[in-house]
Amino acid sequence: MAHKTLIKLNSGAGIPALGLGTWQSPKGEVATAVLHALKSGYRHIDCALCYQNENEVGQGLAETFKAGVCKREDVFVTTKLWNTYHRRVEDGLDESLTSLNLSYVDLYLMHWPVAMNGNGSHKLFPKHSDGSRDLDLERKHYQAWKDMERLLATGKAKAIGVCNYSVKFLEELLKEASTPPAVNQIENHPYLPQEEIVEFCQKNSIVVTAYSPFGSNGTPLFKEDAVKKVAGKYGVSPGAVLLSYGVARGISVIPKSTKPQRIEENMRTVALDDSDVQTLNDIHKAKGVHRYVFCVRRAAARIVTRPSAVSLCKPRPITTLTAAPLRTSRLVLSSLYQKRFASDDPSERHPALEQEDLRQAVEEEALDEPIQPQAQSAEAFDISDIQPTDAREVPQPELYELSEQDNAARDQEPQGTFAAPQPGQDEAFASGLTSGNARGFGQQASQVPKEGHQLYIGNLFFDVTEEDLRREFGKHGNVEQAKIVYDNRGLSKGFGYVDFQTRESAEMAMGALDRQVFEGRRLSVQWANSKTRDGPGLRSAGVKNTPSKTLFIGNMSFELSDQDLNDLFRDIKNVLDVRVAIDRRTGQPRGFAHADFTDVQSAQLALKVLEGKEMYGRVLRVDFSAPSARVRPVH
């Protein structure tokens, strides 16, 4: 039976309250997921050109129609205009329609309110020769919107809308628009209710669609007492409660999954009463606001939002992310692109679900299937809200940079390992764009040891077990030992080691699995470093990385506040950005940050100023961030 709840759009059509998300779904599984979802009663499919799987979505739709499950007019299909098509709006839609094998879509959304060079170095993720993102600063989002309005007359799009728009951008757009957006798709869940944006949209007859309605991968929301209490009251899973929370607020939700059981489970929304909604809405008031897209770089965003020239020579206050709940009033306007590390598949087994496997990770699940190579995908590029819609956003364009997760982990790990690129940094375009391939303090480029059978495995999903590693890596040779490194709370640090009986097996495993997706995360597989360093993860005293425009600041106290950082950088000039790493699971600082400068000389001067400074009883460790040993190929 179809999920019948509809939310009326200002275009007069109705958008199904429940839809299937397809972002970063595993290659080869999307068509089957779409077919199963439509057979199960879904009537809303959300996709996008930059997800690079619209051909599979189209295949699933075609099989559904051919099987007589439903007709084209019964299914609400949403796709999105990518940033590099802001000057070729109809071309972007035509490309999606061809891939989807459709003559029209029910809703066409502007993916981000920032344009990128459509004639740049890459079709989706263009960059300048210096590695910075190639933005089209002259093309305003409301100019692209005018072209989207013209699509309505062609019949190729029945309605148009936006994604990742803050109130400021919506106000800007509404002043110029002849046709107001029908939808604003944003991250939304009890940790991030974004009430200001939701209220503004509803006041202006704009329907809100929530991506990542479960929060992040392994979201703590499933463990929240309030969520479990409401789930027990209705006899449903925590996931069903979180989806029902969105629907009860008049928000359509698009959880992503490719697993049949999870797809069916997500259909079980219930009608929450007002007290239940309020209980869930109050979670963020006690636990703080958490956005599961993290800020990597905001410098480019600031440039986008400045009138013309940018003055970079005067000292200025630093806006950072702290452990305290982030409030809109504390944020500085900045174009943020985000990386959706958030998956809409939970990661823990809940008693109410009995045999249900909830270990579905960040944007897909591949525990029992062979790892398949994936092409450059929008996984790495889901840039977020240009103005943080309530909190921080992070992107990391998927094929370009390194994520800071390995930096942090290796800074704390008990034995040294060579740094290796990791997936995250690609995906978002943080301000998307993640900045320099910073590795962190004391990291060196990966080298090949003369002997040894041990591999370092980075960027692991947090609930991957040693048995999971043994099973996956054992496909390439005999594994003697697999080890996950845990912190003092018993939580995985996101990296581990695998020892093979022979070096040949280790080489084969590294060649096959490095940069491949496992449990929703793109692995970083490198030779483990010899254990001859002067301490955990550190190089010999006095040895610095090659000077660069980015500084790594480590050993930071968790007590540091915005004001402390402002004081720390008060007399330092030419600072573009200061990025404080935040733990995705807890929302707490990870104890290190990166600072970007306009030139190497400024970074060198800053290092002299910062080196040896003590804050809250901890002496800061300062070094230049090392460039990555290798850059992902751009296809």
Side-chain angles (χ1 to χ4, degrees), residues 54-190:
E54 286 184 313
N55 59 327
E56 290 191 54
V57 174
Q59 181 184 342
L61 291 171
E63 292 177 7
T64 302
F65 302 150
K66 183 178 180 180
V69 175
C70 57
K71 299 178 180 179
R72 167 64 186 95
E73 55 267 27
D74 298 327
V75 182
F76 192 99
V77 178
T78 299
T79 190
K80 306 175 185 76
L81 172 74
W82 187 239
N83 305 38
T84 49
Y85 286 81
H86 275 217
R87 292 182 182 271
R88 301 173 293 137
V89 173
E90 190 166 2
D91 288 348
L93 177 56
D94 287 342
E95 187 168 330
S96 289
L97 291 175
T98 299
S99 297
L100 294 168
N101 194 26
L102 298 176
S103 60
Y104 71 92
V105 292
D106 299 271
L107 180 63
Y108 195 44
L109 304 176
M110 186 184 300
H111 212 142
W112 299 98
V114 167
M116 298 194 301
N117 184 0
N119 297 310
S121 61
H122 190 272
K123 177 181 177 181
L124 299 179
F125 315 112
K127 300 184 77 174
H128 292 295
S129 58
D130 63 359
S132 61
R133 186 62 58 192
D134 190 358
L135 301 179
D136 183 353
L137 303 181
E138 295 181 358
R139 181 67 166 177
K140 305 303 181 185
H141 64 103
Y142 48 80
Q143 293 173 319
W145 180 258
K146 288 294 185 182
D147 288 342
M148 290 185 66
E149 291 178 329
R150 297 185 183 97
L151 294 176
L152 297 174
T154 69
K156 296 178 182 179
K158 302 298 184 183
I160 53 177
V162 297
C163 293
N164 305 300
Y165 265 57
S166 63
V167 170
K168 178 179 177 62
F169 278 91
L170 287 171
E171 289 175 334
E172 204 172 71
L173 180 62
L174 290 173
K175 290 178 182 178
E176 303 290 337
S178 299
T179 301
V183 167
N184 182 20
Q185 189 178 118
I186 58 174
E187 180 182 353
N188 200 279
H189 44 76

Side-chain angles (χ1 to χ4, degrees), residues 67 156 434 456 512 551:
K156 296 178 182 179
T434 70
Y456 164 86
L551 288 183

Side-chain angles (χ1 to χ4, degrees), residues 195-440:
E195 292 167 310
E196 180 187 6
I197 297 176
V198 172
E199 290 174 4
F200 181 89
C201 287
Q202 293 177 342
K203 179 181 178 181
N204 288 276
S205 300
I206 301 171
V207 170
V208 172
T209 293
Y211 65 73
S212 301
F214 295 151
S216 78
N217 53 298
T219 172
L221 275 169
F222 280 79
K223 304 174 188 176
E224 286 289 346
D225 291 338
V227 174
K228 292 190 287 187
K229 180 180 179 181
V230 176
K233 175 180 176 180
Y234 292 95
V236 296
S237 69
V241 168
L242 294 172
L243 296 177
S244 301
Y245 164 76
V247 175
R249 297 167 67 212
I251 295 173
S252 63
V253 292
I254 48 171
K256 172 264 163 192
S257 181
T258 57
K259 295 208 170 176
Q261 187 174 3
R262 168 52 52 191
I263 289 173
E264 295 169 15
E265 174 63 31
N266 289 342
M267 285 279 292
R268 298 184 58 197
T269 55
V270 295
L272 303 181
D273 59 37
D274 292 343
S275 62
D276 297 324
V277 174
Q278 189 58 52
T279 295
L280 297 171
N281 221 32
D282 288 342
I283 291 177
H284 79 283
K285 298 177 181 177
K287 300 298 179 69
V289 170
H290 299 277
R291 179 182 297 282
Y292 289 96
V293 180
F294 299 91
C295 233
V296 179
R297 183 178 176 83
R298 296 188 296 274
R302 292 197 187 96
I303 294 175
V304 172
T305 56
R306 290 175 185 265
S308 54
V310 182
S311 174
L312 299 171
C313 297
K314 298 179 180 179
R316 62 164 181 76
I318 307 298
T319 299
T320 59
L321 303 177
T322 67
L326 299 173
R327 299 182 177 85
T328 304
S329 60
R330 300 177 63 188
L331 295 174
V332 174
L333 170 65
S334 59
S335 282
L336 291 183
Y337 291 96
Q338 53 185 222
K339 167 176 174 69
R340 298 181 190 172
F341 287 114
S343 165
D344 295 323
D345 287 336
S347 63
E348 284 212 358
R349 186 183 301 275
H350 187 277
L353 299 180
E354 299 179 348
Q355 300 180 356
E356 166 131 65
D357 185 3
L358 297 183
R359 293 181 38 186
Q360 302 178 58
V362 202
E363 297 290 339
E364 58 71 348
E365 312 74 37
L367 179 63
D368 299 319
E369 297 299 326
I371 292 178
Q372 300 297 331
Q374 291 196 358
Q376 174 178 37
S377 110
E379 151 203 346
F381 214 81
D382 261 69
I383 17 200
S384 163
D385 221 328
I386 258 195
Q387 173 183 1
T389 57
D390 253 354
R392 51 202 193 269
E393 334 238 0
V394 174
Q396 302 174 325
E398 163 132 24
L399 337 177
Y400 304 98
E401 350 248 352
L402 297 178
S403 121
E404 297 173 341
Q405 179 178 353
D406 278 307
N407 291 338
R410 293 172 192 182
D411 188 43
Q412 303 172 21
E413 65 187 58
Q415 55 185 358
T417 66
F418 287 107
Q422 126 171 1
Q425 256 19 8
D426 291 334
E427 169 154 26
F429 155 103
S431 193
L433 333 310
T434 70
S435 85
N437 304 325
R439 268 185 212 240

